[in-house]
Amino acid sequence: MEIVNFFETLAGKWFSQRTTHYLINQSSQAGQSNLLIEFLPHTDPELVQMCEQGHQDPSTIACGLRINQDSRLEGESQSVKRVTVMVALHPDGAGQGIILQTTPSLPTTQGHYHLDSDVLTLTTHTANGVVAERLWYANPNLRMRTSMLTLDDAVQMASFCSEIRMGAVPAAN
């Protein structure tokens, strides 16, 4: 599978159930999200603009995603709504490439992705440490996602999400 095909499978409406473990204080927190994910072709103007702002050549865009997220954490009365846009640049021969992510009010981040055996791994360096995220499918309507935040070689946070597609698998283009 190539990154464009993998991103196409992400499109749709998803329900996400998440458990996050904070290793520093040995606490856990559950959460739920509704995700609306839109596949963006390499010609999308927003992706071109992100590449230009991130000093990347827009001709290297493979595809992108727009993720509308509505999340609620256990014990919180307010939901958190945000939109994230991701752009994947064409991978090298080993299936690795650059990924840019932007969310309003947060700086654009640049990371790397690796797609191997239908498992997508994203690695991003942030001010809080290194975030490593893995996504894979149990079946076309059920995907799994894990993430870890590491700071100074020590895991600070780990999470697991199971995500169920709400509706049918989108038709292939």
Side-chain angles (χ1 to χ4, degrees):
M1 181 179 289
E2 295 183 15
I3 191 66
V4 173
N5 304 110
F6 195 92
F7 270 33
E8 286 174 333
T9 68
L10 295 172
K13 184 177 180 182
W14 295 84
F15 173 75
S16 178
Q17 183 75 36
R18 176 180 63 248
T19 302
T20 303
H21 301 284
Y22 301 95
L23 283 81
I24 293 175
N25 61 9
Q26 297 296 307
S27 66
S28 296
Q29 187 172 35
Q32 299 177 341
S33 298
N34 290 305
L35 306 170
L36 182 59
I37 302 175
E38 178 186 356
F39 175 81
L40 303 174
H42 70 278
T43 56
D44 186 277
E46 190 171 7
L47 302 183
V48 172
Q49 182 181 12
M50 282 178 64
C51 278
E52 290 170 348
Q53 291 173 344
H55 307 291
Q56 297 293 329
D57 180 358
S59 71
T60 63
I61 297 171
C63 60
L65 296 172
R66 181 176 296 108
I67 305 164
N68 289 284
Q69 179 180 351
D70 183 1
S71 300
R72 181 160 300 200
L73 294 174
E74 179 181 67
E76 301 287 330
S77 60
Q78 297 279 333
S79 65
V80 175
K81 296 179 182 184
R82 70 178 177 193
V83 177
T84 301
V85 177
M86 300 172 72
V87 57
L89 304 183
H90 283 291
D92 61 18
Q96 299 181 42
I98 293 173
I99 193 155
L100 302 173
Q101 298 181 60
T102 188
T103 301
S105 76
L106 295 174
T108 297
T109 59
Q110 178 176 312
H112 293 88
Y113 71 86
H114 182 229
L115 185 58
D116 184 35
S117 300
D118 296 340
V119 176
L120 178 65
T121 302
L122 304 170
T123 305
T124 308
H125 295 264
T126 70
N128 297 325
V130 178
V131 178
E133 186 170 21
R134 293 175 52 93
L135 293 92
W136 70 96
Y137 284 88
N139 69 51
N141 293 316
L142 174 64
R143 72 172 177 233
M144 308 298 171
R145 185 164 46 104
T146 61
S147 63
M148 289 189 347
L149 171 64
T150 305
L151 180 62
D152 297 328
D153 295 326
V155 176
Q156 305 293 308
M157 183 272 305
S159 70
F160 173 78
C161 299
S162 60
E163 299 174 330
I164 300 168
R165 187 185 307 273
M166 306 303 291
V169 175
N173 294 340

